[in-house]
Amino acid sequence: MRPLTIAVASGKGGTGKTTLAVALARAIRDEVTVLDCDVEEPNAALFLRVPFTEEEPVTLPVPEIDKEKCTVCGECSRFCRYNALVTTRSGTTVFPELCHSCGGCALVCPAGAIREVPRLIGRTRSGRAGRLTLVEGELEIGRALVPPLIRAVRRRGAAQGLTIIDCPPGTSCPLVAAAGGADYVLLVTEPTAFGLHDLTLAAASLRELGLPHSVIINRAGLGDDRVEVWCREAGIPVLFRIPFSRAAAEAQSRGEGVLEHIPGLRELLAVLPERLGGDA
Amino acid sequence: MKIALTISDRGPEAMLDLRFGRAAAFLVHDTESGEETIVDNTQNLTAAQGAGIQSAAHVVNAGAAVLITGHCGPKAFQVLQGEGVRVFGSPAATVGEALAAFKAGTLKEILDADVESHW
């Protein structure tokens, strides 16, 4: 099978992204790498039970001012569109939590008073069990800059075989960082007004990114048929439906995953990569 | 001494803007000469982030020793305090009323940030 990257996204949180990503990873018979890019709340490891053997800090460069050299000219503060630097008569102060690490301040400083120092934003962890490799990112508490950490997780992914990306909820920068460049995106939704609302937003983002995508309806049988109607009208295929099942929900809450509790799901998922173009 | 006040509009009946970082402008009142100047702050009114920090720099660079506003968040307060600017909190009032209250000594000094970031 040629390398294939499938991202699992949703827009709305709690629709079953991790549930599906984990079930897909378990149903596949080949080598598979799961990238848990939901770095604000990584939880694929709870279900996949892969022991982590490696951990690496992820840092971003932020400016540090040499007070001896700083002439208080204010060039750096005027340049910074994120207002991470402020120059007043007594000197220049850095607010690293506002910095987006563009490096511009160090470039424009005429006095050479700015050097960049690493600031921890989180960590990646990885491990392997049998044919399964898991990489997750975890954001440091108090940090807000998510995309660079997601990109660090993506860089640790495999170049071969199947890669499954568990995306964060939402439709903006974190989703773009997690799903960007994927061969295919599975949008997991639920047949409710909330599911539909956020699905329309997520689909719009993916359209903008030019990423091929289709919909999987989880908890089918709840709610109404508005998601089905919308998908038909928008021309987005509904790949399949996972019926609402109390037994599956209970198994999930025990950390067992749903694969054994939804009849036919394993067979459906086992051939999904080929169906999505993995053997082309 | 120069006193900076956050204002949401202009003129003698201008109301004090109770927000600091995203005030539309600052009125800088010189108690010795009676001269008043306006420092525009629309750049920070529309800033994506860090409005309080840069607004604080405006106040400092205008030479104000006192700031009268509604509330002040932690980062802005850090900048103001670092430059020795004293901050006074006022309830909703016109600029004239707030200045009179300050001169009468009835405004409360804000000695630490009194609201969270992004208030």
Side-chain angles (χ1 to χ4, degrees), chain A residues 3 5 23 48 54 58 79 120-121 129 154-155 158 165 177 189 216 241 255 261:
Chain A
T5 299
L48 290 172
E54 282 180 58
V58 178
F79 179 83
L120 184 74
I121 59 162
R154 296 279 309 265
R155 280 196 297 274
I165 300 173
T189 189
I216 292 169
R241 296 149 190 87
H261 300 273

PDB file of all heavy atoms in Angstrom, chain A residues 3 5 23 48 54 58 79 120-121 129 154-155 158 165 177 189 216 241 255 261:
ATOM      1  N   PRO A   3       1.883   5.171   0.798  1.00  0.00           N
ATOM      2  CA  PRO A   3       1.600   5.951   2.008  1.00  0.00           C
ATOM      3  C   PRO A   3       0.246   6.644   1.892  1.00  0.00           C
ATOM      4  O   PRO A   3      -0.096   7.182   0.837  1.00  0.00           O
ATOM      5  CB  PRO A   3       2.730   6.981   2.050  1.00  0.00           C
ATOM      6  CG  PRO A   3       3.805   6.429   1.183  1.00  0.00           C
ATOM      7  CD  PRO A   3       3.137   5.577   0.156  1.00  0.00           C
ATOM      8  N   THR A   5      -2.496   9.116   4.298  1.00  0.00           N
ATOM      9  CA  THR A   5      -2.783   9.824   5.547  1.00  0.00           C
ATOM     10  C   THR A   5      -4.262  10.180   5.584  1.00  0.00           C
ATOM     11  O   THR A   5      -4.762  10.890   4.711  1.00  0.00           O
ATOM     12  CB  THR A   5      -1.931  11.106   5.653  1.00  0.00           C
ATOM     13  OG1 THR A   5      -0.557  10.738   5.640  1.00  0.00           O
ATOM     14  CG2 THR A   5      -2.229  11.851   6.945  1.00  0.00           C
ATOM     15  N   ALA A  23     -10.815   2.938  16.448  1.00  0.00           N
ATOM     16  CA  ALA A  23     -11.446   1.760  15.842  1.00  0.00           C
ATOM     17  C   ALA A  23     -10.800   1.450  14.495  1.00  0.00           C
ATOM     18  O   ALA A  23     -10.537   0.282  14.169  1.00  0.00           O
ATOM     19  CB  ALA A  23     -12.949   2.006  15.681  1.00  0.00           C
ATOM     20  N   LEU A  48      -5.754   2.988  23.039  1.00  0.00           N
ATOM     21  CA  LEU A  48      -4.818   2.156  22.269  1.00  0.00           C
ATOM     22  C   LEU A  48      -3.826   1.440  23.181  1.00  0.00           C
ATOM     23  O   LEU A  48      -3.242   0.432  22.793  1.00  0.00           O
ATOM     24  CB  LEU A  48      -4.076   3.020  21.240  1.00  0.00           C
ATOM     25  CG  LEU A  48      -4.959   3.504  20.088  1.00  0.00           C
ATOM     26  CD1 LEU A  48      -4.223   4.502  19.217  1.00  0.00           C
ATOM     27  CD2 LEU A  48      -5.435   2.329  19.236  1.00  0.00           C
ATOM     28  N   GLU A  54       9.243   7.261  24.346  1.00  0.00           N
ATOM     29  CA  GLU A  54      10.023   8.466  24.057  1.00  0.00           C
ATOM     30  C   GLU A  54       9.208   9.699  24.388  1.00  0.00           C
ATOM     31  O   GLU A  54       7.990   9.712  24.154  1.00  0.00           O
ATOM     32  CB  GLU A  54      10.375   8.541  22.565  1.00  0.00           C
ATOM     33  CG  GLU A  54      11.524   7.655  22.146  1.00  0.00           C
ATOM     34  CD  GLU A  54      11.791   7.816  20.652  1.00  0.00           C
ATOM     35  OE1 GLU A  54      12.061   8.953  20.218  1.00  0.00           O
ATOM     36  OE2 GLU A  54      11.688   6.798  19.940  1.00  0.00           O
ATOM     37  N   VAL A  58       8.841  20.334  23.285  1.00  0.00           N
ATOM     38  CA  VAL A  58       8.678  21.165  22.093  1.00  0.00           C
ATOM     39  C   VAL A  58       8.767  22.620  22.553  1.00  0.00           C
ATOM     40  O   VAL A  58       8.049  23.029  23.475  1.00  0.00           O
ATOM     41  CB  VAL A  58       7.332  20.899  21.392  1.00  0.00           C
ATOM     42  CG1 VAL A  58       7.162  21.813  20.176  1.00  0.00           C
ATOM     43  CG2 VAL A  58       7.234  19.438  20.971  1.00  0.00           C
ATOM     44  N   PHE A  79       7.368  46.903  15.450  1.00  0.00           N
ATOM     45  CA  PHE A  79       7.295  45.839  14.451  1.00  0.00           C
ATOM     46  C   PHE A  79       6.317  44.736  14.861  1.00  0.00           C
ATOM     47  O   PHE A  79       5.617  44.170  14.027  1.00  0.00           O
ATOM     48  CB  PHE A  79       8.686  45.230  14.237  1.00  0.00           C
ATOM     49  CG  PHE A  79       8.679  44.106  13.246  1.00  0.00           C
ATOM     50  CD1 PHE A  79       8.743  44.357  11.886  1.00  0.00           C
ATOM     51  CD2 PHE A  79       8.565  42.786  13.672  1.00  0.00           C
ATOM     52  CE1 PHE A  79       8.709  43.323  10.963  1.00  0.00           C
ATOM     53  CE2 PHE A  79       8.526  41.746  12.759  1.00  0.00           C
ATOM     54  CZ  PHE A  79       8.597  42.012  11.399  1.00  0.00           C
ATOM     55  N   LEU A 120       9.183  26.531  26.437  1.00  0.00           N
ATOM     56  CA  LEU A 120       8.462  25.249  26.346  1.00  0.00           C
ATOM     57  C   LEU A 120       6.983  25.494  26.041  1.00  0.00           C
ATOM     58  O   LEU A 120       6.324  26.283  26.712  1.00  0.00           O
ATOM     59  CB  LEU A 120       8.594  24.504  27.678  1.00  0.00           C
ATOM     60  CG  LEU A 120       7.970  23.106  27.711  1.00  0.00           C
ATOM     61  CD1 LEU A 120       8.812  22.104  26.925  1.00  0.00           C
ATOM     62  CD2 LEU A 120       7.763  22.630  29.148  1.00  0.00           C
ATOM     63  N   ILE A 121       6.447  24.813  25.004  1.00  0.00           N
ATOM     64  CA  ILE A 121       5.002  24.914  24.752  1.00  0.00           C
ATOM     65  C   ILE A 121       4.289  23.575  24.961  1.00  0.00           C
ATOM     66  O   ILE A 121       3.067  23.531  25.043  1.00  0.00           O
ATOM     67  CB  ILE A 121       4.680  25.440  23.331  1.00  0.00           C
ATOM     68  CG1 ILE A 121       5.269  24.539  22.251  1.00  0.00           C
ATOM     69  CG2 ILE A 121       5.114  26.879  23.174  1.00  0.00           C
ATOM     70  CD1 ILE A 121       4.637  24.764  20.887  1.00  0.00           C
ATOM     71  N   ALA A 129       3.516  -0.637  19.754  1.00  0.00           N
ATOM     72  CA  ALA A 129       3.056  -1.936  20.244  1.00  0.00           C
ATOM     73  C   ALA A 129       2.594  -2.727  19.027  1.00  0.00           C
ATOM     74  O   ALA A 129       1.618  -2.355  18.374  1.00  0.00           O
ATOM     75  CB  ALA A 129       1.919  -1.774  21.246  1.00  0.00           C
ATOM     76  N   ARG A 154       3.054  16.059  13.843  1.00  0.00           N
ATOM     77  CA  ARG A 154       3.012  15.616  12.438  1.00  0.00           C
ATOM     78  C   ARG A 154       4.421  15.235  11.949  1.00  0.00           C
ATOM     79  O   ARG A 154       4.583  14.262  11.212  1.00  0.00           O
ATOM     80  CB  ARG A 154       2.441  16.724  11.544  1.00  0.00           C
ATOM     81  CG  ARG A 154       0.990  17.109  11.801  1.00  0.00           C
ATOM     82  CD  ARG A 154      -0.014  16.180  11.158  1.00  0.00           C
ATOM     83  NE  ARG A 154       0.180  15.917   9.746  1.00  0.00           N
ATOM     84  CZ  ARG A 154      -0.434  16.582   8.751  1.00  0.00           C
ATOM     85  NH1 ARG A 154      -1.278  17.553   9.042  1.00  0.00           N
ATOM     86  NH2 ARG A 154      -0.226  16.266   7.500  1.00  0.00           N
ATOM     87  N   ARG A 155       5.432  16.011  12.376  1.00  0.00           N
ATOM     88  CA  ARG A 155       6.804  15.720  11.931  1.00  0.00           C
ATOM     89  C   ARG A 155       7.304  14.376  12.447  1.00  0.00           C
ATOM     90  O   ARG A 155       8.181  13.765  11.864  1.00  0.00           O
ATOM     91  CB  ARG A 155       7.762  16.834  12.408  1.00  0.00           C
ATOM     92  CG  ARG A 155       7.741  18.081  11.542  1.00  0.00           C
ATOM     93  CD  ARG A 155       8.952  18.968  11.817  1.00  0.00           C
ATOM     94  NE  ARG A 155       8.987  19.473  13.187  1.00  0.00           N
ATOM     95  CZ  ARG A 155       8.361  20.579  13.587  1.00  0.00           C
ATOM     96  NH1 ARG A 155       7.654  21.291  12.717  1.00  0.00           N
ATOM     97  NH2 ARG A 155       8.427  20.975  14.845  1.00  0.00           N
ATOM     98  N   ALA A 158       5.086   8.726  10.563  1.00  0.00           N
ATOM     99  CA  ALA A 158       5.810   7.849   9.651  1.00  0.00           C
ATOM    100  C   ALA A 158       5.634   8.326   8.217  1.00  0.00           C
ATOM    101  O   ALA A 158       4.623   8.931   7.877  1.00  0.00           O
ATOM    102  CB  ALA A 158       5.299   6.428   9.793  1.00  0.00           C
ATOM    103  N   ILE A 165      -4.753  10.565  11.592  1.00  0.00           N
ATOM    104  CA  ILE A 165      -4.596  11.765  12.422  1.00  0.00           C
ATOM    105  C   ILE A 165      -5.891  12.024  13.184  1.00  0.00           C
ATOM    106  O   ILE A 165      -6.949  12.217  12.572  1.00  0.00           O
ATOM    107  CB  ILE A 165      -4.246  12.995  11.557  1.00  0.00           C
ATOM    108  CG1 ILE A 165      -2.934  12.756  10.809  1.00  0.00           C
ATOM    109  CG2 ILE A 165      -4.147  14.258  12.425  1.00  0.00           C
ATOM    110  CD1 ILE A 165      -2.597  13.845   9.807  1.00  0.00           C
ATOM    111  N   ALA A 177      -3.684  22.920  10.926  1.00  0.00           N
ATOM    112  CA  ALA A 177      -2.375  22.331  11.217  1.00  0.00           C
ATOM    113  C   ALA A 177      -2.459  20.806  11.266  1.00  0.00           C
ATOM    114  O   ALA A 177      -1.545  20.108  10.841  1.00  0.00           O
ATOM    115  CB  ALA A 177      -1.839  22.875  12.543  1.00  0.00           C
ATOM    116  N   THR A 189     -19.714  13.224  12.480  1.00  0.00           N
ATOM    117  CA  THR A 189     -20.725  14.126  13.018  1.00  0.00           C
ATOM    118  C   THR A 189     -21.810  13.302  13.703  1.00  0.00           C
ATOM    119  O   THR A 189     -21.751  12.079  13.736  1.00  0.00           O
ATOM    120  CB  THR A 189     -21.323  15.018  11.918  1.00  0.00           C
ATOM    121  OG1 THR A 189     -22.143  16.027  12.515  1.00  0.00           O
ATOM    122  CG2 THR A 189     -22.151  14.203  10.936  1.00  0.00           C
ATOM    123  N   ILE A 216     -19.045  10.724   8.166  1.00  0.00           N
ATOM    124  CA  ILE A 216     -19.492   9.521   8.857  1.00  0.00           C
ATOM    125  C   ILE A 216     -20.454   9.986   9.950  1.00  0.00           C
ATOM    126  O   ILE A 216     -20.114  10.869  10.745  1.00  0.00           O
ATOM    127  CB  ILE A 216     -18.296   8.764   9.475  1.00  0.00           C
ATOM    128  CG1 ILE A 216     -17.438   8.186   8.343  1.00  0.00           C
ATOM    129  CG2 ILE A 216     -18.785   7.658  10.405  1.00  0.00           C
ATOM    130  CD1 ILE A 216     -16.109   7.649   8.792  1.00  0.00           C
ATOM    131  N   ARG A 241     -22.863   4.958   8.448  1.00  0.00           N
ATOM    132  CA  ARG A 241     -23.490   5.409   9.694  1.00  0.00           C
ATOM    133  C   ARG A 241     -23.155   4.422  10.791  1.00  0.00           C
ATOM    134  O   ARG A 241     -23.202   3.213  10.555  1.00  0.00           O
ATOM    135  CB  ARG A 241     -25.010   5.502   9.507  1.00  0.00           C
ATOM    136  CG  ARG A 241     -25.417   6.540   8.489  1.00  0.00           C
ATOM    137  CD  ARG A 241     -26.696   6.167   7.759  1.00  0.00           C
ATOM    138  NE  ARG A 241     -26.914   7.072   6.623  1.00  0.00           N
ATOM    139  CZ  ARG A 241     -26.397   6.875   5.409  1.00  0.00           C
ATOM    140  NH1 ARG A 241     -25.663   5.804   5.150  1.00  0.00           N
ATOM    141  NH2 ARG A 241     -26.606   7.758   4.448  1.00  0.00           N
ATOM    142  N   GLY A 255     -13.090   2.229  28.319  1.00  0.00           N
ATOM    143  CA  GLY A 255     -11.817   2.310  27.612  1.00  0.00           C
ATOM    144  C   GLY A 255     -11.586   1.150  26.664  1.00  0.00           C
ATOM    145  O   GLY A 255     -10.458   0.889  26.255  1.00  0.00           O
ATOM    146  N   HIS A 261     -18.570  -3.923  19.502  1.00  0.00           N
ATOM    147  CA  HIS A 261     -19.965  -3.715  19.903  1.00  0.00           C
ATOM    148  C   HIS A 261     -20.848  -3.153  18.793  1.00  0.00           C
ATOM    149  O   HIS A 261     -22.041  -2.976  19.003  1.00  0.00           O
ATOM    150  CB  HIS A 261     -20.016  -2.805  21.139  1.00  0.00           C
ATOM    151  CG  HIS A 261     -19.284  -3.398  22.300  1.00  0.00           C
ATOM    152  ND1 HIS A 261     -19.874  -4.268  23.179  1.00  0.00           N
ATOM    153  CD2 HIS A 261     -17.987  -3.284  22.681  1.00  0.00           C
ATOM    154  CE1 HIS A 261     -18.975  -4.650  24.076  1.00  0.00           C
ATOM    155  NE2 HIS A 261     -17.829  -4.065  23.794  1.00  0.00           N
TER     156      HIS A 261
END
